[in-house]
C-alpha cells in the first residue's frame, strides 16, 4: 500500500509535500500517479500544492511529470506578456524584467476558456527573491469590501486593450493572427469588440464576470484582472508618463467595473490589500514543482537577483459558462 502524503502547512507558506528520494523523472511521474487522488483533494482544499525534492532537471523531465498531473493542455490565448516557448507545451513563466514585480492574477481570467490547472517548475533558483506567491481567491473575496464585491457580482468587469509592439504585445502575437480578418473572426467568436484606428492600431473591449464558482467544489471566488491591469496598480511615475503621452484611452491595458462608475485609487488599494493579506510564498529550490488550481488561486512573481529559470505548463481547460458566472460574458460597448 502506498504511504499517505505528509502535508506541511505553516503560516505564510503554501501547503507543501516533500517527495521521497526518487531516481529520475520517470520515478517521479510514477510517484505522482500513485498519489493522484490525494494530490487532487489537497489541491481543492488548499488551492495550491508545493512539491519539494523531485528529480526534475530539464524541460523534458518537467514535461514528463506534467503529462501525469495535467494530461490535457490549454492553448495560450489572447497573449498579454512575453514568454519563451520550449516545446511540448512548456513555457517560461514570464520573460518580464527581473526587477519587476508581477501582481496576483488568475491566468487568462478574461478568456471564455481558461486553464483550470497550472504547473510551475524550478530548474534554476535565483540568488535572491523570485518566489511565485499564491493567494487563495476564496479568502480574497472574503476580505474585500462588500460594496465592491456587490458591484462586481452585479456588473462584472471590463477589459480594454490597445495593442502595440513597443508598450505591450502587438495584435499579431496576441491573437496568433496574420491578418485583420483573423483578429475580427476571433473577436466575434469570443465576445470581444474590436476597432481599428487610422494608424492601424487595434483596440478591443470585453465584459467578463469577476466572480465565479469553482466547477467542481462550488466555492465562490474573486476571479479577474481588475487590479492587475488597472492604472492605479502602476508605479505613480510610470502612470503619469503614460497618461500624459497616451491619454486614458490609449493605455495598453485598462480595467473598469461594468456599472460605468469610475474606479478610484482607494477601490484598487482595497483589492491589492486583500491579495496581500491572502498571499503565501515559498522560496524556489531546483526540482520544486507547484501545482495551482487556477480558479481557486491567483499567482504572482516577486522581483529577484541572479539567474532564474521557472517553467510553466497550463491545462485542464475550463469554460467560464461552467463556473456559474454572476454576469454573462459580452463584448464591451463600442468605445470610439
Amino acid at each position: 500500500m502506498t504511504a499517505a502524503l505528509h502535508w506541511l502547512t505553516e503560516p505564510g507558506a503554501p501547503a507543501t509535500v516533500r517527495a521521497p528520494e526518487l531516481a529520475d523523472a520517470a520515478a517521479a511521474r510514477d510517484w505522482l500517479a500513485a498519489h493522484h487522488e490525494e494530490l487532487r483533494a489537497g489541491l481543492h482544499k488548499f488551492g495550491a500544492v508545493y512539491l519539494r525534492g523531485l528529480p526534475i532537471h530539464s524541460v523534458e523531465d518537467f514535461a514528463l511529470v506534467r503529462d501525469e498531473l495535467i494530461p490535457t493542455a490549454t492553448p495560450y490565448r489572447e497573449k498579454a506578456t512575453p514568454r519563451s516557448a520550449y516545446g511540448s507545451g512548456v513555457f517560461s513563466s514570464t520573460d518580464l524584467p527581473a526587477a519587476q514585480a508581477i501582481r496576483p492574477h488568475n491566468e487568462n481570467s478574461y478568456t471564455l476558456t481558461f486553464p483550470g490547472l497550472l504547473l510551475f517548475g524550478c530548474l534554476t533558483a535565483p540568488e535572491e527573491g523570485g518566489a511565485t506567491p499564491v493567494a487563495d481567491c476564496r479568502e480574497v473575496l472574503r476580505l474585500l469590501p462588500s460594496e465592491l464585491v456587490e458591484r462586481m457580482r452585479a456588473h462584472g468587469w471590463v477589459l480594454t486593450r490597445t495593442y502595440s509592439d513597443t508598450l505591450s504585445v502587438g495584435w499579431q502575437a496576441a491573437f496568433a493572427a496574420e491578418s485583420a480578418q483573423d483578429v475580427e473572426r476571433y473577436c466575434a467568436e469570443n465576445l470581444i469588440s474590436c476597432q481599428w484606428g487610422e494608424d492601424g492600431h487595434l483596440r478591443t473591449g470585453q465584459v467578463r464576470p469577476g466572480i465565479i464558482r469553482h466547477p467542481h467544489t462550488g466555492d465562490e471566488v474573486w476571479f479577474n484582472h481588475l487590479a492587475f491591469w488597472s492604472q492605479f496598480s502602476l508605479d505613480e511615475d510610470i502612470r503619469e508618463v503614460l497618461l500624459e503621452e497616451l491619454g486614458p484611452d490609449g493605455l495598453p491595458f485598462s480595467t473598469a467595473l461594468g456599472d460605468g462608475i469610475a474606479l478610484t485609487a482607494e477601490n484598487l488599494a482595497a483589492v491589492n490589500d486583500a491579495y496581500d493579506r491572502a498571499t503565501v510564498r515559498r522560496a524556489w529550490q531546483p526540482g520544486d514543482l507547484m501545482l495551482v488550481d487556477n480558479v481557486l488561486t491567483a499567482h504572482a512573481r516577486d522581483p529577484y537577483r541572479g539567474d532564474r529559470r521557472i517553467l510553466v505548463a497550463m491545462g485542464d481547460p475550463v469554460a467560464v459558462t461552467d463556473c456559474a458566472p454572476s454576469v454573462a460574458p459580452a463584448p464591451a460597448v463600442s468605445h470610439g
Side-chain angles (χ1 to χ4, degrees):
M1 178 179 290
T2 303
L5 297 176
H6 173 67
W7 294 90
L8 173 63
T9 57
E10 52 188 344
T16 300
V17 173
R18 179 173 285 280
E21 187 170 341
L22 299 166
D24 53 24
R29 176 199 58 200
D30 295 344
W31 178 78
L32 292 167
H35 292 284
H36 181 91
E37 294 303 321
E38 196 175 353
L39 287 170
R40 184 56 63 98
L43 190 64
H44 286 164
K45 179 179 180 179
F46 300 113
V49 175
Y50 213 97
L51 299 163
R52 171 144 285 175
L54 291 165
I56 306 302
H57 306 297
S58 66
V59 170
E60 292 73 23
D61 289 347
F62 178 80
L64 187 66
V65 297
R66 182 274 316 276
D67 288 346
E68 170 56 39
L69 293 169
I70 312 180
T72 306
T74 303
Y76 185 30
R77 298 185 177 95
E78 298 174 47
K79 183 177 180 181
T81 56
R83 297 183 194 270
S84 297
Y86 298 124
S88 302
V90 178
F91 300 88
S92 61
S93 59
T94 180
D95 292 342
L96 289 172
Q100 182 176 339
I102 300 175
R103 291 179 178 273
H105 60 286
N106 304 83
E107 198 68 35
N108 286 106
S109 74
Y110 46 90
T111 57
L112 298 184
T113 300
F114 41 79
L117 294 176
L118 309 175
L119 182 66
F120 294 91
C122 178
L123 297 187
T124 304
E127 296 173 19
E128 181 181 309
T132 301
V134 288
D136 188 324
C137 293
R138 296 165 290 195
E139 181 67 11
V140 172
L141 184 64
R142 287 191 288 267
L143 291 169
L144 285 166
S146 59
E147 179 266 342
L148 191 61
V149 169
E150 290 314 309
R151 287 175 65 190
M152 178 68 87
R153 198 189 308 278
H155 303 286
W157 67 292
V158 180
L159 170 63
T160 304
R161 293 182 63 176
T162 301
Y163 300 80
S164 163
D165 289 322
T166 54
L167 289 177
S168 57
V169 175
W171 58 262
Q172 294 92 338
F175 292 99
E178 296 182 359
S179 69
Q181 290 73 26
D182 291 339
V183 173
E184 291 162 6
R185 187 180 308 111
Y186 179 94
C187 289
E189 292 171 352
N190 288 274
L191 303 177
I192 302 170
S193 63
C194 64
Q195 183 178 49
W196 298 95
E198 293 181 2
D199 56 4
H201 285 170
L202 172 68
R203 294 188 74 212
T204 62
Q206 55 222 80
V207 179
R208 297 294 185 256
I211 296 175
I212 62 174
R213 289 190 178 274
H214 192 280
H216 301 298
T217 71
D219 291 319
E220 194 175 42
V221 296
W222 182 260
F223 182 85
N224 55 75
H225 274 64
L226 184 74
F228 186 81
W229 278 325
S230 168
Q231 61 168 294
F232 295 115
S233 292
L234 293 169
D235 176 84
E236 185 174 353
D237 292 338
I238 294 174
R239 181 172 72 249
E240 290 179 358
V241 169
L242 288 176
L243 287 172
E244 182 176 346
E245 292 293 324
L246 305 172
D249 294 332
L251 296 175
F253 302 95
S254 179
T255 62
L257 287 177
D259 58 11
I261 301 171
L263 287 167
T264 65
E266 290 72 22
N267 292 148
L268 271 299
V271 177
N272 286 323
D273 179 65
Y275 279 125
D276 288 345
R277 291 167 62 190
T279 291
V280 296
R281 57 174 49 77
R282 190 176 292 283
W284 285 113
Q285 293 181 8
D288 287 351
L289 299 178
M290 184 165 62
L291 185 63
V292 176
D293 187 305
N294 186 45
V295 177
L296 296 178
T297 304
H299 64 281
R301 188 200 69 183
D302 290 340
Y304 65 93
R305 288 193 312 105
D307 292 337
R308 178 185 188 269
R309 196 177 186 205
I310 306 298
L311 307 177
V312 69
M314 301 176 275
D316 193 24
V318 174
V320 68
T321 51
D322 291 333
C323 298
S326 63
V327 171
V333 175
S334 178
H335 40 272

